[in-house]
Amino acid sequence: GENVEQHPSTLSVQEGDSAVIKCTYSDSASNYFPWYKQELGKRPQLIIDIRSNVGEKKDQRIAVTLNKTAKHFSLHITETQPEDSAVYFCAASITGNEKLTFGTGTRLTIIP
Amino acid sequence: AAGVIQSPRHLIKEKRETATLKCYPIPRHDTVYWYQQGPGQDPQFLISFYEKMQSDKGSIPDRFSAQQFSDYHSELNMSSLELGDSALYFCASSLLESERSWELFFGEGSRLTVL
């Protein structure tokens, strides 16, 4: 089955700086890669996603890049703000079997 | 817009008791997924249903069972509860016959505490 690894497990950045979280996956058939933001005790909220026919996608301060050859994808948050503090999960799935396999999460702390 | 509804939101049980969690997917969604998230852990896939049939099975203990009913709501039944079953249980739904069939919509979760 799919295995998703995520690094780092914790990340602290100064407000206004950029944050980068990286994930690797094992199943080359995976073709959908969402990123979720989860606040304590709340449900995962989809913040951005990318499909394997696209190398990069951007939505305001958030961007995701995908290297299908290397089987890794990254989340980039620019101009970080205190409200960006949360746990972020990457995930992977295969079209036709939409079960998500999650990474182990990154606790992002934005230092004011 | 209607979202995925889970009930109860909080549940406290004793060891060896039984618990049932319910999930009402977004109207017209045909697929339901159950995830278990332990404290400080990533969500782990338990089981999924497509059109009322089990479509995939993950790390669901034999003590657990689930089904999807004719109205597409799903129930997760957990018996002989153990302390380690204490977790946040998420239900998610999707519509496979849509342009974004891969997108899962999560409910708020049901927090089970086993004492």
Side-chain angles (χ1 to χ4, degrees):
Chain A
E2 175 65 278
N3 181 51
V4 179
E5 295 189 354
Q6 183 171 347
H7 301 280
S9 58
T10 60
L11 179 62
S12 296
V13 301
Q14 289 290 139
E15 182 178 355
D17 287 351
S18 295
V20 180
I21 303 171
K22 299 182 179 182
C23 287
T24 60
Y25 61 99
S26 61
D27 191 340
S28 57
S30 290
N31 57 2
Y32 174 60
F33 308 94
W35 285 89
Y36 291 88
K37 176 182 180 182
Q38 188 177 31
E39 297 176 1
L40 190 63
K42 301 288 183 65
R43 62 182 152 183
Q45 295 272 15
L46 179 68
I47 56 172
I48 195 167
D49 56 16
I50 192 168
R51 289 183 56 77
S52 61
N53 58 344
V54 176
E56 184 174 358
K57 184 177 177 181
K58 190 173 182 180
D59 182 5
Q60 299 182 351
R61 297 186 298 110
I62 297 174
V64 56
T65 58
L66 171 65
N67 184 328
K68 200 178 177 190
T69 303
K71 290 191 282 189
H72 67 70
F73 55 112
S74 301
L75 176 72
H76 304 251
I77 306 175
T78 59
E79 300 171 26
T80 53
Q81 302 167 1
E83 53 265 36
D84 294 331
S85 294
V87 177
Y88 290 79
F89 290 98
C90 62
S93 71
I94 303 169
T95 299
N97 178 4
E98 316 303 345
K99 173 192 73 176
L100 289 170
T101 299
F102 285 85
T104 47
T106 297
R107 179 174 297 282
L108 175 64
T109 302
I110 306 303
I111 305 166
Chain B
V4 177
I5 305 297
Q6 290 187 246
S7 67
R9 294 293 310 280
H10 301 273
L11 189 59
I12 299 175
K13 290 287 185 177
E14 300 276 342
K15 279 196 306 184
R16 293 179 288 278
E17 285 190 322
T18 297
T20 297
L21 306 181
K22 296 184 179 183
C23 170
Y24 296 84
I26 292 173
R28 294 185 298 281
H29 277 196
D30 51 23
T31 308
V32 166
Y33 311 81
W34 285 97
Y35 286 84
Q36 177 193 56
Q37 186 175 25
Q41 305 295 312
D42 54 292
Q44 294 292 318
F45 172 73
L46 293 178
I47 196 167
S48 63
F49 294 88
Y50 168 67
E51 285 291 342
K52 293 158 279 185
M53 298 288 289
Q54 181 181 308
S55 54
D56 201 353
K57 192 172 181 180
S59 51
I60 184 170
D62 291 340
R63 299 177 289 107
F64 292 10
S65 65
Q67 58 181 323
Q68 187 179 31
F69 294 86
S70 57
D71 64 352
Y72 291 91
H73 94 273
S74 178
E75 295 184 3
L76 177 66
N77 299 292
M78 300 173 282
S79 62
S80 303
L81 288 171
E82 302 173 357
L83 296 179
D85 296 329
S86 295
L88 197 53
Y89 290 82
F90 287 104
C91 172
S93 73
S94 67
L95 178 60
L96 291 193
E97 306 301 321
S98 72
E99 286 186 358
R100 286 183 60 85
S101 61
W102 51 85
E103 186 172 359
L104 268 60
F105 296 80
F106 283 87
E108 299 276 9
S110 293
R111 181 172 295 283
L112 172 65
T113 302
V114 181
L115 302 176

